[in-house]
Amino acid sequence: EVQLVQSGAEVKKPGESLKISCKGSGYSFTSYWIGWVRQMPGKGLEWMGIIYPGDSDTRYSPSFQGQVTISADKSISTAYLQWSSLKASDTAMYYCARPRYSSGWTFDYWGQGTLVTVSS
Amino acid sequence: EIVLTQSPGTLSLSPGERATLSCRASQSVSSSYLAWYQQKPGQAPRLLIYGASSRATGIPDRFSGSGSGTDFTLTISRLEPEDFAVYYCQQYGSSSWTFGQGTKVEIK
């Protein structure tokens, strides 16, 4: 069974750094892209970027380029999303999701989400 | 970047009624790369439709998708209580994904 399990909720202060994770299981982790999607409180879904753990090829949405870093450690089947200096506007739910070519690059599996709260 | 605009923002209907949701793209989208998702409060989105009209695994046949080019539609033939949720369209192109802003289907 394919599963994406994300790390737990975080409460941080502005200016702090953060790295959240997404562990894949039940499939070949290095053979599928993993993406990150932001959902701000009461708002819609925004694609942030994506990584191919097999070779760490990474693509970013223009809206998030330079704002976050996506990485992966294939030895432990885990993808990461990190910030070097959080802002209050980074408060959101963050989902990892796996896109699949055979279904038109749709996100067919999703993590449970990680809630990030940034407040002084 | 292709912008997806969904309408209406909110649809107020009763169980048993038909729901018609629209997704309009700022430029032509390949039908192969247009999808619909359902999201309920406190849950991750769930894939409903891919390739504009193909139902994902386990999705009931009351959900159907149609359209091409810049205009796409999600239809729920008869609303069940569990269908009241927010629905998003999504497109893929040039190694980039975009979502519409969502349509909330609420109980009237």
Side-chain angles (χ1 to χ4, degrees):
Chain A
E1 178 196 6
V2 173
Q3 284 193 308
L4 298 174
V5 179
Q6 298 185 229
S7 50
E10 302 273 1
V11 179
K12 292 289 190 178
K13 291 181 168 31
E16 292 187 329
S17 63
L18 176 64
K19 191 174 190 178
I20 62 175
S21 67
C22 170
K23 183 174 177 60
S25 62
Y27 71 101
S28 174
F29 185 74
T30 54
S31 300
Y32 290 82
W33 294 80
I34 288 274
W36 289 94
V37 175
R38 183 176 79 173
Q39 188 166 40
M40 298 178 76
K43 302 298 184 183
L45 305 170
E46 301 171 271
W47 174 68
M48 302 176 70
I50 201 156
I51 188 165
Y52 189 75
D55 61 6
S56 293
D57 185 6
T58 309
R59 318 282 172 86
Y60 292 93
S61 161
S63 299
F64 292 92
Q65 179 83 48
Q67 307 305 307
V68 296
T69 301
I70 293 171
S71 60
D73 184 341
K74 59 186 178 183
S75 69
I76 55 172
S77 300
T78 301
Y80 301 96
L81 177 66
Q82 70 180 85
W83 296 259
S84 58
S85 180
L86 286 160
K87 303 185 281 288
S89 58
D90 293 317
T91 294
M93 182 70 82
Y94 294 88
Y95 294 101
C96 62
R98 192 191 79 169
R100 187 160 57 107
Y101 169 73
S102 60
S103 62
W105 289 114
T106 55
F107 293 104
D108 60 347
Y109 288 97
W110 293 71
Q112 82 277 19
T114 295
L115 180 62
V116 174
T117 303
V118 183
S119 174
S120 54
Chain B
E1 178 181 287
I2 294 177
V3 176
L4 299 178
T5 301
Q6 293 186 238
S7 61
T10 302
L11 201 50
S12 298
L13 295 167
S14 300
E17 290 194 294
R18 181 184 189 90
T20 303
L21 289 66
S22 173
C23 176
R24 178 161 290 177
S26 58
Q27 56 187 278
S28 186
V29 172
S30 168
S31 295
S32 298
Y33 299 138
L34 193 287
W36 291 91
Y37 298 81
Q38 177 193 67
Q39 187 179 32
K40 297 180 181 179
Q43 296 184 16
R46 176 175 71 145
L47 177 66
L48 296 176
I49 300 286
Y50 65 93
S53 60
S54 298
R55 277 186 297 277
T57 303
I59 301 303
D61 60 8
R62 64 180 180 272
F63 290 91
S64 63
S66 63
S68 63
T70 60
D71 289 293
F72 298 88
T73 300
L74 174 70
T75 301
I76 310 171
S77 59
R78 288 178 58 86
L79 283 164
E80 297 287 341
E82 62 267 28
D83 299 336
F84 292 91
V86 180
Y87 293 84
Y88 296 94
C89 58
Q90 171 249 304
Q91 71 85 34
Y92 165 81
S94 303
S95 300
S96 177
W97 286 256
T98 53
F99 291 92
Q101 83 280 16
T103 290
K104 182 179 182 180
V105 178
E106 65 176 21
I107 299 176
K108 187 173 182 181

